[in-house]
Amino acid sequence: ILRGSKSGKSILNLKACGTGYWIATIMQIPIPITLAALVAYRLRGYSQLHAVPLLHESWNVFSLRAFTALSALALLAGLLGGMLGIGGGMIMNPLFLEIGMSPQVTAATCAFLVFFSSSMSVIQFWLLGRIPVRYALVCAALCLICSVAGLQVVRKVIERSGRVSLIVFSVSCMLGISAIFMACFGTMNIWRLFKDGGYVGFHSPC
């Protein structure tokens, strides 16, 4: 929004690839790191003053190691998500499970992260005037209904079976299906572009 792009004009009227453009681009790295450090410092101080339950995690989520690892994972998820055009939940889910986070906490955390990042994207494209409002409202209503229904079904199934591993199995299936479709459609698009004589290399950032 601040620096602009090929699909939208900067609200600050910054010149593409000018000094202000690159300053706004580079500042996307130190600002999140600073905010993450401040939040980590406040949370660590709060956890030392109050008895905070760790939800049976295999490691202390308020330790310096946890803050560093989680911040690095979030940075990696954002980088890969931006490069590959995929949701952060597809990356964070297996990473959270790998570091020992319980499936329930993993699902809830990733849902919050996806909601936050998606909301920021919606605001960005809305300010750029690129969202068909009626279509977006219909999709939002359908997503809300299906999400609530899916959560109720999963909760009932887990209560009856007593197996939290169903969450891990569901995440694994979705990741596998997504990886297959991404590879297939990506290969098809590149082959079609190659046959039409289009450029399949990297473009200039400007």
Side-chain angles (χ1 to χ4, degrees):
I1 296 176
L2 294 178
R3 68 183 178 89
S5 63
K6 295 180 180 179
S7 58
K9 186 178 179 181
S10 167
I11 62 175
L12 301 178
N13 292 323
L14 298 178
K15 182 181 178 181
C17 291
T19 304
Y21 175 91
W22 289 113
I23 291 177
T25 301
I26 295 174
M27 289 303 293
Q28 295 181 65
I29 298 177
I31 290 179
I33 292 177
T34 303
L35 292 176
L38 291 175
V39 172
Y41 177 78
R42 294 291 302 273
L43 286 176
R44 192 174 185 185
Y46 181 84
S47 66
Q48 292 175 352
L49 295 176
H50 303 80
V52 180
L54 299 180
L55 301 176
H56 305 289
E57 303 296 338
S58 61
W59 57 316
N60 185 0
V61 294
F62 293 105
S63 64
L64 180 61
R65 169 176 170 259
F67 286 131
T68 304
L70 294 177
S71 299
L73 293 179
L75 181 63
L76 177 63
L79 179 63
L80 294 178
M83 291 176 59
L84 305 176
I86 58 178
M90 291 180 59
I91 304 171
M92 298 302 291
N93 262 308
L95 292 178
F96 282 157
L97 294 173
E98 178 65 24
I99 64 177
M101 188 177 288
S102 64
Q104 298 99 320
V105 178
T106 296
T109 303
C110 288
F112 175 77
L113 291 176
V114 170
F115 172 77
F116 181 78
S117 61
S118 300
S119 299
M120 295 299 100
S121 299
V122 168
I123 294 175
Q124 175 184 353
F125 286 110
W126 177 69
L127 292 175
L128 295 175
R130 302 190 60 196
I131 294 183
V133 179
R134 293 184 178 179
Y135 179 75
L137 291 176
V138 172
C139 291
L142 291 175
C143 289
L144 177 62
I145 295 173
C146 294
S147 297
V148 173
L151 288 174
Q152 294 300 322
V153 170
V154 171
R155 184 175 63 86
K156 291 292 185 182
V157 172
I158 291 178
E159 288 179 353
R160 292 184 178 181
S161 64
R163 302 188 57 170
V164 185
S165 57
L166 292 173
I167 298 178
V168 181
F169 179 75
S170 301
V171 171
S172 302
C173 290
M174 292 304 300
L175 290 176
I177 295 173
S178 300
I180 293 174
F181 275 101
M182 285 179 60
C184 293
F185 284 106
T187 303
M188 292 170 57
N189 291 334
I190 293 177
W191 177 249
R192 188 181 302 113
L193 187 62
F194 178 77
K195 288 180 62 178
D196 295 338
Y199 179 69
V200 295
F202 292 99
H203 295 278
S204 171
C206 299

PDB file of all heavy atoms in Angstrom, residues 116-154:
ATOM      1  N   PHE A 116      -5.560 -13.433  10.440  1.00  0.00           N
ATOM      2  CA  PHE A 116      -4.894 -12.138  10.525  1.00  0.00           C
ATOM      3  C   PHE A 116      -4.279 -11.742   9.187  1.00  0.00           C
ATOM      4  O   PHE A 116      -4.485 -10.629   8.681  1.00  0.00           O
ATOM      5  CB  PHE A 116      -3.814 -12.193  11.603  1.00  0.00           C
ATOM      6  CG  PHE A 116      -3.084 -10.898  11.797  1.00  0.00           C
ATOM      7  CD1 PHE A 116      -3.662  -9.862  12.506  1.00  0.00           C
ATOM      8  CD2 PHE A 116      -1.818 -10.715  11.268  1.00  0.00           C
ATOM      9  CE1 PHE A 116      -2.996  -8.657  12.682  1.00  0.00           C
ATOM     10  CE2 PHE A 116      -1.137  -9.523  11.436  1.00  0.00           C
ATOM     11  CZ  PHE A 116      -1.731  -8.490  12.148  1.00  0.00           C
ATOM     12  N   SER A 117      -3.515 -12.656   8.584  1.00  0.00           N
ATOM     13  CA  SER A 117      -2.863 -12.342   7.308  1.00  0.00           C
ATOM     14  C   SER A 117      -3.879 -12.130   6.194  1.00  0.00           C
ATOM     15  O   SER A 117      -3.711 -11.242   5.346  1.00  0.00           O
ATOM     16  CB  SER A 117      -1.882 -13.457   6.934  1.00  0.00           C
ATOM     17  OG  SER A 117      -2.570 -14.689   6.793  1.00  0.00           O
ATOM     18  N   SER A 118      -4.943 -12.929   6.179  1.00  0.00           N
ATOM     19  CA  SER A 118      -5.976 -12.765   5.156  1.00  0.00           C
ATOM     20  C   SER A 118      -6.700 -11.435   5.314  1.00  0.00           C
ATOM     21  O   SER A 118      -7.032 -10.771   4.313  1.00  0.00           O
ATOM     22  CB  SER A 118      -6.982 -13.915   5.228  1.00  0.00           C
ATOM     23  OG  SER A 118      -6.350 -15.153   5.021  1.00  0.00           O
ATOM     24  N   SER A 119      -6.943 -11.025   6.554  1.00  0.00           N
ATOM     25  CA  SER A 119      -7.606  -9.743   6.790  1.00  0.00           C
ATOM     26  C   SER A 119      -6.759  -8.590   6.287  1.00  0.00           C
ATOM     27  O   SER A 119      -7.272  -7.632   5.689  1.00  0.00           O
ATOM     28  CB  SER A 119      -7.895  -9.568   8.289  1.00  0.00           C
ATOM     29  OG  SER A 119      -8.742 -10.589   8.759  1.00  0.00           O
ATOM     30  N   MET A 120      -5.442  -8.676   6.504  1.00  0.00           N
ATOM     31  CA  MET A 120      -4.558  -7.624   6.007  1.00  0.00           C
ATOM     32  C   MET A 120      -4.568  -7.575   4.477  1.00  0.00           C
ATOM     33  O   MET A 120      -4.559  -6.499   3.877  1.00  0.00           O
ATOM     34  CB  MET A 120      -3.135  -7.867   6.510  1.00  0.00           C
ATOM     35  CG  MET A 120      -2.969  -7.770   8.027  1.00  0.00           C
ATOM     36  SD  MET A 120      -3.386  -6.140   8.706  1.00  0.00           S
ATOM     37  CE  MET A 120      -5.057  -6.455   9.338  1.00  0.00           C
ATOM     38  N   SER A 121      -4.613  -8.746   3.848  1.00  0.00           N
ATOM     39  CA  SER A 121      -4.656  -8.782   2.388  1.00  0.00           C
ATOM     40  C   SER A 121      -5.971  -8.213   1.861  1.00  0.00           C
ATOM     41  O   SER A 121      -5.990  -7.487   0.853  1.00  0.00           O
ATOM     42  CB  SER A 121      -4.477 -10.216   1.894  1.00  0.00           C
ATOM     43  OG  SER A 121      -3.224 -10.735   2.292  1.00  0.00           O
ATOM     44  N   VAL A 122      -7.067  -8.523   2.550  1.00  0.00           N
ATOM     45  CA  VAL A 122      -8.372  -7.995   2.137  1.00  0.00           C
ATOM     46  C   VAL A 122      -8.379  -6.473   2.229  1.00  0.00           C
ATOM     47  O   VAL A 122      -8.854  -5.779   1.318  1.00  0.00           O
ATOM     48  CB  VAL A 122      -9.492  -8.603   3.009  1.00  0.00           C
ATOM     49  CG1 VAL A 122     -10.806  -7.854   2.789  1.00  0.00           C
ATOM     50  CG2 VAL A 122      -9.676 -10.071   2.680  1.00  0.00           C
ATOM     51  N   ILE A 123      -7.850  -5.936   3.320  1.00  0.00           N
ATOM     52  CA  ILE A 123      -7.806  -4.479   3.480  1.00  0.00           C
ATOM     53  C   ILE A 123      -6.943  -3.848   2.391  1.00  0.00           C
ATOM     54  O   ILE A 123      -7.299  -2.802   1.808  1.00  0.00           O
ATOM     55  CB  ILE A 123      -7.269  -4.117   4.877  1.00  0.00           C
ATOM     56  CG1 ILE A 123      -8.255  -4.578   5.955  1.00  0.00           C
ATOM     57  CG2 ILE A 123      -7.017  -2.614   4.992  1.00  0.00           C
ATOM     58  CD1 ILE A 123      -7.755  -4.377   7.362  1.00  0.00           C
ATOM     59  N   GLN A 124      -5.821  -4.476   2.094  1.00  0.00           N
ATOM     60  CA  GLN A 124      -4.924  -3.948   1.071  1.00  0.00           C
ATOM     61  C   GLN A 124      -5.615  -3.895  -0.298  1.00  0.00           C
ATOM     62  O   GLN A 124      -5.607  -2.853  -0.960  1.00  0.00           O
ATOM     63  CB  GLN A 124      -3.671  -4.814   0.982  1.00  0.00           C
ATOM     64  CG  GLN A 124      -2.724  -4.405  -0.141  1.00  0.00           C
ATOM     65  CD  GLN A 124      -1.534  -5.340  -0.260  1.00  0.00           C
ATOM     66  OE1 GLN A 124      -1.345  -6.206   0.573  1.00  0.00           O
ATOM     67  NE2 GLN A 124      -0.741  -5.157  -1.301  1.00  0.00           N
ATOM     68  N   PHE A 125      -6.208  -5.009  -0.721  1.00  0.00           N
ATOM     69  CA  PHE A 125      -6.849  -5.029  -2.033  1.00  0.00           C
ATOM     70  C   PHE A 125      -8.110  -4.175  -2.065  1.00  0.00           C
ATOM     71  O   PHE A 125      -8.483  -3.652  -3.118  1.00  0.00           O
ATOM     72  CB  PHE A 125      -7.171  -6.477  -2.431  1.00  0.00           C
ATOM     73  CG  PHE A 125      -5.960  -7.263  -2.833  1.00  0.00           C
ATOM     74  CD1 PHE A 125      -5.478  -8.289  -2.019  1.00  0.00           C
ATOM     75  CD2 PHE A 125      -5.295  -6.985  -4.004  1.00  0.00           C
ATOM     76  CE1 PHE A 125      -4.370  -9.013  -2.384  1.00  0.00           C
ATOM     77  CE2 PHE A 125      -4.172  -7.707  -4.382  1.00  0.00           C
ATOM     78  CZ  PHE A 125      -3.708  -8.712  -3.572  1.00  0.00           C
ATOM     79  N   TRP A 126      -8.783  -4.033  -0.896  1.00  0.00           N
ATOM     80  CA  TRP A 126      -9.960  -3.158  -0.848  1.00  0.00           C
ATOM     81  C   TRP A 126      -9.563  -1.704  -1.036  1.00  0.00           C
ATOM     82  O   TRP A 126     -10.226  -0.959  -1.759  1.00  0.00           O
ATOM     83  CB  TRP A 126     -10.681  -3.349   0.484  1.00  0.00           C
ATOM     84  CG  TRP A 126     -11.871  -2.439   0.639  1.00  0.00           C
ATOM     85  CD1 TRP A 126     -13.044  -2.491  -0.059  1.00  0.00           C
ATOM     86  CD2 TRP A 126     -11.985  -1.327   1.529  1.00  0.00           C
ATOM     87  NE1 TRP A 126     -13.890  -1.486   0.347  1.00  0.00           N
ATOM     88  CE2 TRP A 126     -13.264  -0.754   1.326  1.00  0.00           C
ATOM     89  CE3 TRP A 126     -11.148  -0.764   2.488  1.00  0.00           C
ATOM     90  CZ2 TRP A 126     -13.715   0.349   2.034  1.00  0.00           C
ATOM     91  CZ3 TRP A 126     -11.592   0.335   3.200  1.00  0.00           C
ATOM     92  CH2 TRP A 126     -12.854   0.886   2.980  1.00  0.00           C
ATOM     93  N   LEU A 127      -8.461  -1.295  -0.419  1.00  0.00           N
ATOM     94  CA  LEU A 127      -7.983   0.069  -0.600  1.00  0.00           C
ATOM     95  C   LEU A 127      -7.530   0.319  -2.038  1.00  0.00           C
ATOM     96  O   LEU A 127      -7.626   1.452  -2.533  1.00  0.00           O
ATOM     97  CB  LEU A 127      -6.824   0.355   0.366  1.00  0.00           C
ATOM     98  CG  LEU A 127      -7.189   0.417   1.861  1.00  0.00           C
ATOM     99  CD1 LEU A 127      -5.944   0.593   2.712  1.00  0.00           C
ATOM    100  CD2 LEU A 127      -8.182   1.554   2.121  1.00  0.00           C
ATOM    101  N   LEU A 128      -7.040  -0.723  -2.689  1.00  0.00           N
ATOM    102  CA  LEU A 128      -6.623  -0.588  -4.081  1.00  0.00           C
ATOM    103  C   LEU A 128      -7.793  -0.708  -5.051  1.00  0.00           C
ATOM    104  O   LEU A 128      -7.617  -0.547  -6.257  1.00  0.00           O
ATOM    105  CB  LEU A 128      -5.576  -1.664  -4.419  1.00  0.00           C
ATOM    106  CG  LEU A 128      -4.234  -1.554  -3.682  1.00  0.00           C
ATOM    107  CD1 LEU A 128      -3.345  -2.740  -4.013  1.00  0.00           C
ATOM    108  CD2 LEU A 128      -3.523  -0.244  -4.044  1.00  0.00           C
ATOM    109  N   GLY A 129      -8.996  -0.982  -4.520  1.00  0.00           N
ATOM    110  CA  GLY A 129     -10.183  -1.071  -5.368  1.00  0.00           C
ATOM    111  C   GLY A 129     -10.233  -2.287  -6.253  1.00  0.00           C
ATOM    112  O   GLY A 129     -10.795  -2.238  -7.359  1.00  0.00           O
ATOM    113  N   ARG A 130      -9.683  -3.409  -5.797  1.00  0.00           N
ATOM    114  CA  ARG A 130      -9.604  -4.605  -6.634  1.00  0.00           C
ATOM    115  C   ARG A 130     -10.486  -5.743  -6.133  1.00  0.00           C
ATOM    116  O   ARG A 130     -10.304  -6.891  -6.522  1.00  0.00           O
ATOM    117  CB  ARG A 130      -8.153  -5.084  -6.724  1.00  0.00           C
ATOM    118  CG  ARG A 130      -7.192  -4.042  -7.284  1.00  0.00           C
ATOM    119  CD  ARG A 130      -5.849  -4.654  -7.561  1.00  0.00           C
ATOM    120  NE  ARG A 130      -5.952  -5.741  -8.536  1.00  0.00           N
ATOM    121  CZ  ARG A 130      -4.996  -6.643  -8.734  1.00  0.00           C
ATOM    122  NH1 ARG A 130      -3.898  -6.616  -8.000  1.00  0.00           N
ATOM    123  NH2 ARG A 130      -5.149  -7.596  -9.637  1.00  0.00           N
ATOM    124  N   ILE A 131     -11.430  -5.454  -5.239  1.00  0.00           N
ATOM    125  CA  ILE A 131     -12.296  -6.500  -4.691  1.00  0.00           C
ATOM    126  C   ILE A 131     -13.730  -6.288  -5.165  1.00  0.00           C
ATOM    127  O   ILE A 131     -14.318  -5.236  -4.897  1.00  0.00           O
ATOM    128  CB  ILE A 131     -12.255  -6.505  -3.151  1.00  0.00           C
ATOM    129  CG1 ILE A 131     -10.867  -6.900  -2.652  1.00  0.00           C
ATOM    130  CG2 ILE A 131     -13.300  -7.459  -2.593  1.00  0.00           C
ATOM    131  CD1 ILE A 131     -10.769  -6.992  -1.152  1.00  0.00           C
ATOM    132  N   PRO A 132     -14.320  -7.268  -5.876  1.00  0.00           N
ATOM    133  CA  PRO A 132     -15.761  -7.203  -6.180  1.00  0.00           C
ATOM    134  C   PRO A 132     -16.547  -7.482  -4.907  1.00  0.00           C
ATOM    135  O   PRO A 132     -16.552  -8.618  -4.407  1.00  0.00           O
ATOM    136  CB  PRO A 132     -15.960  -8.304  -7.238  1.00  0.00           C
ATOM    137  CG  PRO A 132     -14.801  -9.237  -7.038  1.00  0.00           C
ATOM    138  CD  PRO A 132     -13.666  -8.426  -6.505  1.00  0.00           C
ATOM    139  N   VAL A 133     -17.202  -6.474  -4.376  1.00  0.00           N
ATOM    140  CA  VAL A 133     -17.777  -6.540  -3.032  1.00  0.00           C
ATOM    141  C   VAL A 133     -18.817  -7.653  -2.917  1.00  0.00           C
ATOM    142  O   VAL A 133     -18.800  -8.442  -1.965  1.00  0.00           O
ATOM    143  CB  VAL A 133     -18.386  -5.183  -2.649  1.00  0.00           C
ATOM    144  CG1 VAL A 133     -19.003  -5.257  -1.253  1.00  0.00           C
ATOM    145  CG2 VAL A 133     -17.323  -4.089  -2.698  1.00  0.00           C
ATOM    146  N   ARG A 134     -19.745  -7.750  -3.854  1.00  0.00           N
ATOM    147  CA  ARG A 134     -20.807  -8.756  -3.752  1.00  0.00           C
ATOM    148  C   ARG A 134     -20.236 -10.167  -3.776  1.00  0.00           C
ATOM    149  O   ARG A 134     -20.635 -11.025  -2.972  1.00  0.00           O
ATOM    150  CB  ARG A 134     -21.798  -8.569  -4.897  1.00  0.00           C
ATOM    151  CG  ARG A 134     -22.585  -7.264  -4.812  1.00  0.00           C
ATOM    152  CD  ARG A 134     -23.610  -7.190  -5.927  1.00  0.00           C
ATOM    153  NE  ARG A 134     -24.400  -5.968  -5.847  1.00  0.00           N
ATOM    154  CZ  ARG A 134     -25.351  -5.638  -6.710  1.00  0.00           C
ATOM    155  NH1 ARG A 134     -25.638  -6.455  -7.727  1.00  0.00           N
ATOM    156  NH2 ARG A 134     -26.017  -4.510  -6.569  1.00  0.00           N
ATOM    157  N   TYR A 135     -19.317 -10.405  -4.687  1.00  0.00           N
ATOM    158  CA  TYR A 135     -18.689 -11.719  -4.774  1.00  0.00           C
ATOM    159  C   TYR A 135     -17.932 -12.037  -3.487  1.00  0.00           C
ATOM    160  O   TYR A 135     -17.980 -13.169  -2.985  1.00  0.00           O
ATOM    161  CB  TYR A 135     -17.742 -11.747  -5.969  1.00  0.00           C
ATOM    162  CG  TYR A 135     -17.006 -13.052  -6.156  1.00  0.00           C
ATOM    163  CD1 TYR A 135     -17.649 -14.170  -6.661  1.00  0.00           C
ATOM    164  CD2 TYR A 135     -15.674 -13.151  -5.820  1.00  0.00           C
ATOM    165  CE1 TYR A 135     -16.979 -15.364  -6.835  1.00  0.00           C
ATOM    166  CE2 TYR A 135     -14.982 -14.353  -5.990  1.00  0.00           C
ATOM    167  CZ  TYR A 135     -15.647 -15.447  -6.503  1.00  0.00           C
ATOM    168  OH  TYR A 135     -14.969 -16.622  -6.668  1.00  0.00           O
ATOM    169  N   ALA A 136     -17.236 -11.048  -2.927  1.00  0.00           N
ATOM    170  CA  ALA A 136     -16.474 -11.256  -1.704  1.00  0.00           C
ATOM    171  C   ALA A 136     -17.394 -11.553  -0.526  1.00  0.00           C
ATOM    172  O   ALA A 136     -17.076 -12.409   0.318  1.00  0.00           O
ATOM    173  CB  ALA A 136     -15.626 -10.022  -1.406  1.00  0.00           C
ATOM    174  N   LEU A 137     -18.523 -10.872  -0.446  1.00  0.00           N
ATOM    175  CA  LEU A 137     -19.461 -11.113   0.659  1.00  0.00           C
ATOM    176  C   LEU A 137     -20.048 -12.519   0.587  1.00  0.00           C
ATOM    177  O   LEU A 137     -20.212 -13.189   1.616  1.00  0.00           O
ATOM    178  CB  LEU A 137     -20.575 -10.068   0.640  1.00  0.00           C
ATOM    179  CG  LEU A 137     -20.157  -8.634   0.993  1.00  0.00           C
ATOM    180  CD1 LEU A 137     -21.341  -7.688   0.843  1.00  0.00           C
ATOM    181  CD2 LEU A 137     -19.591  -8.567   2.410  1.00  0.00           C
ATOM    182  N   VAL A 138     -20.360 -12.975  -0.619  1.00  0.00           N
ATOM    183  CA  VAL A 138     -20.901 -14.332  -0.772  1.00  0.00           C
ATOM    184  C   VAL A 138     -19.861 -15.376  -0.355  1.00  0.00           C
ATOM    185  O   VAL A 138     -20.163 -16.323   0.380  1.00  0.00           O
ATOM    186  CB  VAL A 138     -21.342 -14.561  -2.231  1.00  0.00           C
ATOM    187  CG1 VAL A 138     -21.717 -16.028  -2.451  1.00  0.00           C
ATOM    188  CG2 VAL A 138     -22.524 -13.667  -2.579  1.00  0.00           C
ATOM    189  N   CYS A 139     -18.621 -15.185  -0.803  1.00  0.00           N
ATOM    190  CA  CYS A 139     -17.556 -16.123  -0.443  1.00  0.00           C
ATOM    191  C   CYS A 139     -17.288 -16.106   1.057  1.00  0.00           C
ATOM    192  O   CYS A 139     -17.055 -17.157   1.674  1.00  0.00           O
ATOM    193  CB  CYS A 139     -16.279 -15.776  -1.203  1.00  0.00           C
ATOM    194  SG  CYS A 139     -16.368 -16.095  -2.975  1.00  0.00           S
ATOM    195  N   ALA A 140     -17.323 -14.908   1.669  1.00  0.00           N
ATOM    196  CA  ALA A 140     -17.086 -14.808   3.105  1.00  0.00           C
ATOM    197  C   ALA A 140     -18.172 -15.524   3.900  1.00  0.00           C
ATOM    198  O   ALA A 140     -17.889 -16.223   4.881  1.00  0.00           O
ATOM    199  CB  ALA A 140     -17.014 -13.334   3.521  1.00  0.00           C
ATOM    200  N   ALA A 141     -19.431 -15.370   3.477  1.00  0.00           N
ATOM    201  CA  ALA A 141     -20.525 -16.047   4.171  1.00  0.00           C
ATOM    202  C   ALA A 141     -20.405 -17.560   4.055  1.00  0.00           C
ATOM    203  O   ALA A 141     -20.588 -18.300   5.038  1.00  0.00           O
ATOM    204  CB  ALA A 141     -21.864 -15.577   3.606  1.00  0.00           C
ATOM    205  N   LEU A 142     -20.080 -18.052   2.857  1.00  0.00           N
ATOM    206  CA  LEU A 142     -19.919 -19.499   2.665  1.00  0.00           C
ATOM    207  C   LEU A 142     -18.747 -20.046   3.484  1.00  0.00           C
ATOM    208  O   LEU A 142     -18.849 -21.116   4.100  1.00  0.00           O
ATOM    209  CB  LEU A 142     -19.712 -19.807   1.186  1.00  0.00           C
ATOM    210  CG  LEU A 142     -20.923 -19.590   0.279  1.00  0.00           C
ATOM    211  CD1 LEU A 142     -20.541 -19.817  -1.176  1.00  0.00           C
ATOM    212  CD2 LEU A 142     -22.073 -20.507   0.675  1.00  0.00           C
ATOM    213  N   CYS A 143     -17.637 -19.304   3.504  1.00  0.00           N
ATOM    214  CA  CYS A 143     -16.477 -19.739   4.290  1.00  0.00           C
ATOM    215  C   CYS A 143     -16.803 -19.787   5.777  1.00  0.00           C
ATOM    216  O   CYS A 143     -16.376 -20.711   6.489  1.00  0.00           O
ATOM    217  CB  CYS A 143     -15.291 -18.812   4.041  1.00  0.00           C
ATOM    218  SG  CYS A 143     -14.551 -18.991   2.402  1.00  0.00           S
ATOM    219  N   LEU A 144     -17.545 -18.800   6.255  1.00  0.00           N
ATOM    220  CA  LEU A 144     -17.907 -18.773   7.674  1.00  0.00           C
ATOM    221  C   LEU A 144     -18.781 -19.969   8.044  1.00  0.00           C
ATOM    222  O   LEU A 144     -18.531 -20.655   9.042  1.00  0.00           O
ATOM    223  CB  LEU A 144     -18.636 -17.466   7.996  1.00  0.00           C
ATOM    224  CG  LEU A 144     -19.144 -17.318   9.435  1.00  0.00           C
ATOM    225  CD1 LEU A 144     -17.981 -17.341  10.421  1.00  0.00           C
ATOM    226  CD2 LEU A 144     -19.944 -16.028   9.586  1.00  0.00           C
ATOM    227  N   ILE A 145     -19.778 -20.238   7.228  1.00  0.00           N
ATOM    228  CA  ILE A 145     -20.689 -21.353   7.511  1.00  0.00           C
ATOM    229  C   ILE A 145     -19.941 -22.684   7.465  1.00  0.00           C
ATOM    230  O   ILE A 145     -20.075 -23.537   8.364  1.00  0.00           O
ATOM    231  CB  ILE A 145     -21.857 -21.348   6.512  1.00  0.00           C
ATOM    232  CG1 ILE A 145     -22.705 -20.091   6.705  1.00  0.00           C
ATOM    233  CG2 ILE A 145     -22.714 -22.596   6.693  1.00  0.00           C
ATOM    234  CD1 ILE A 145     -23.787 -19.922   5.655  1.00  0.00           C
ATOM    235  N   CYS A 146     -19.138 -22.882   6.424  1.00  0.00           N
ATOM    236  CA  CYS A 146     -18.405 -24.141   6.279  1.00  0.00           C
ATOM    237  C   CYS A 146     -17.353 -24.315   7.368  1.00  0.00           C
ATOM    238  O   CYS A 146     -17.120 -25.436   7.848  1.00  0.00           O
ATOM    239  CB  CYS A 146     -17.752 -24.210   4.910  1.00  0.00           C
ATOM    240  SG  CYS A 146     -18.927 -24.291   3.535  1.00  0.00           S
ATOM    241  N   SER A 147     -16.722 -23.225   7.792  1.00  0.00           N
ATOM    242  CA  SER A 147     -15.715 -23.320   8.847  1.00  0.00           C
ATOM    243  C   SER A 147     -16.340 -23.727  10.171  1.00  0.00           C
ATOM    244  O   SER A 147     -15.812 -24.600  10.878  1.00  0.00           O
ATOM    245  CB  SER A 147     -14.997 -21.965   9.008  1.00  0.00           C
ATOM    246  OG  SER A 147     -14.306 -21.618   7.833  1.00  0.00           O
ATOM    247  N   VAL A 148     -17.459 -23.102  10.519  1.00  0.00           N
ATOM    248  CA  VAL A 148     -18.143 -23.458  11.773  1.00  0.00           C
ATOM    249  C   VAL A 148     -18.611 -24.900  11.729  1.00  0.00           C
ATOM    250  O   VAL A 148     -18.460 -25.662  12.702  1.00  0.00           O
ATOM    251  CB  VAL A 148     -19.326 -22.497  12.021  1.00  0.00           C
ATOM    252  CG1 VAL A 148     -20.140 -22.958  13.224  1.00  0.00           C
ATOM    253  CG2 VAL A 148     -18.820 -21.077  12.248  1.00  0.00           C
ATOM    254  N   ALA A 149     -19.183 -25.319  10.587  1.00  0.00           N
ATOM    255  CA  ALA A 149     -19.653 -26.701  10.455  1.00  0.00           C
ATOM    256  C   ALA A 149     -18.484 -27.680  10.545  1.00  0.00           C
ATOM    257  O   ALA A 149     -18.576 -28.718  11.223  1.00  0.00           O
ATOM    258  CB  ALA A 149     -20.388 -26.874   9.128  1.00  0.00           C
ATOM    259  N   GLY A 150     -17.373 -27.357   9.899  1.00  0.00           N
ATOM    260  CA  GLY A 150     -16.208 -28.234   9.959  1.00  0.00           C
ATOM    261  C   GLY A 150     -15.638 -28.359  11.351  1.00  0.00           C
ATOM    262  O   GLY A 150     -15.260 -29.463  11.792  1.00  0.00           O
ATOM    263  N   LEU A 151     -15.589 -27.247  12.080  1.00  0.00           N
ATOM    264  CA  LEU A 151     -15.086 -27.294  13.456  1.00  0.00           C
ATOM    265  C   LEU A 151     -15.972 -28.152  14.348  1.00  0.00           C
ATOM    266  O   LEU A 151     -15.472 -28.905  15.197  1.00  0.00           O
ATOM    267  CB  LEU A 151     -15.001 -25.872  14.020  1.00  0.00           C
ATOM    268  CG  LEU A 151     -13.877 -24.994  13.461  1.00  0.00           C
ATOM    269  CD1 LEU A 151     -14.007 -23.565  13.992  1.00  0.00           C
ATOM    270  CD2 LEU A 151     -12.523 -25.565  13.829  1.00  0.00           C
ATOM    271  N   GLN A 152     -17.281 -28.045  14.167  1.00  0.00           N
ATOM    272  CA  GLN A 152     -18.195 -28.847  14.991  1.00  0.00           C
ATOM    273  C   GLN A 152     -18.052 -30.332  14.677  1.00  0.00           C
ATOM    274  O   GLN A 152     -18.055 -31.175  15.586  1.00  0.00           O
ATOM    275  CB  GLN A 152     -19.646 -28.390  14.748  1.00  0.00           C
ATOM    276  CG  GLN A 152     -19.939 -26.984  15.210  1.00  0.00           C
ATOM    277  CD  GLN A 152     -19.718 -26.795  16.693  1.00  0.00           C
ATOM    278  OE1 GLN A 152     -20.022 -27.678  17.505  1.00  0.00           O
ATOM    279  NE2 GLN A 152     -19.179 -25.649  17.066  1.00  0.00           N
ATOM    280  N   VAL A 153     -17.887 -30.659  13.394  1.00  0.00           N
ATOM    281  CA  VAL A 153     -17.737 -32.067  13.012  1.00  0.00           C
ATOM    282  C   VAL A 153     -16.443 -32.643  13.588  1.00  0.00           C
ATOM    283  O   VAL A 153     -16.428 -33.741  14.165  1.00  0.00           O
ATOM    284  CB  VAL A 153     -17.766 -32.216  11.477  1.00  0.00           C
ATOM    285  CG1 VAL A 153     -17.377 -33.629  11.069  1.00  0.00           C
ATOM    286  CG2 VAL A 153     -19.147 -31.865  10.932  1.00  0.00           C
ATOM    287  N   VAL A 154     -15.346 -31.893  13.446  1.00  0.00           N
ATOM    288  CA  VAL A 154     -14.061 -32.372  13.967  1.00  0.00           C
ATOM    289  C   VAL A 154     -14.113 -32.533  15.478  1.00  0.00           C
ATOM    290  O   VAL A 154     -13.595 -33.513  16.048  1.00  0.00           O
ATOM    291  CB  VAL A 154     -12.932 -31.405  13.550  1.00  0.00           C
ATOM    292  CG1 VAL A 154     -11.636 -31.769  14.259  1.00  0.00           C
ATOM    293  CG2 VAL A 154     -12.736 -31.437  12.047  1.00  0.00           C
TER     294      VAL A 154
END
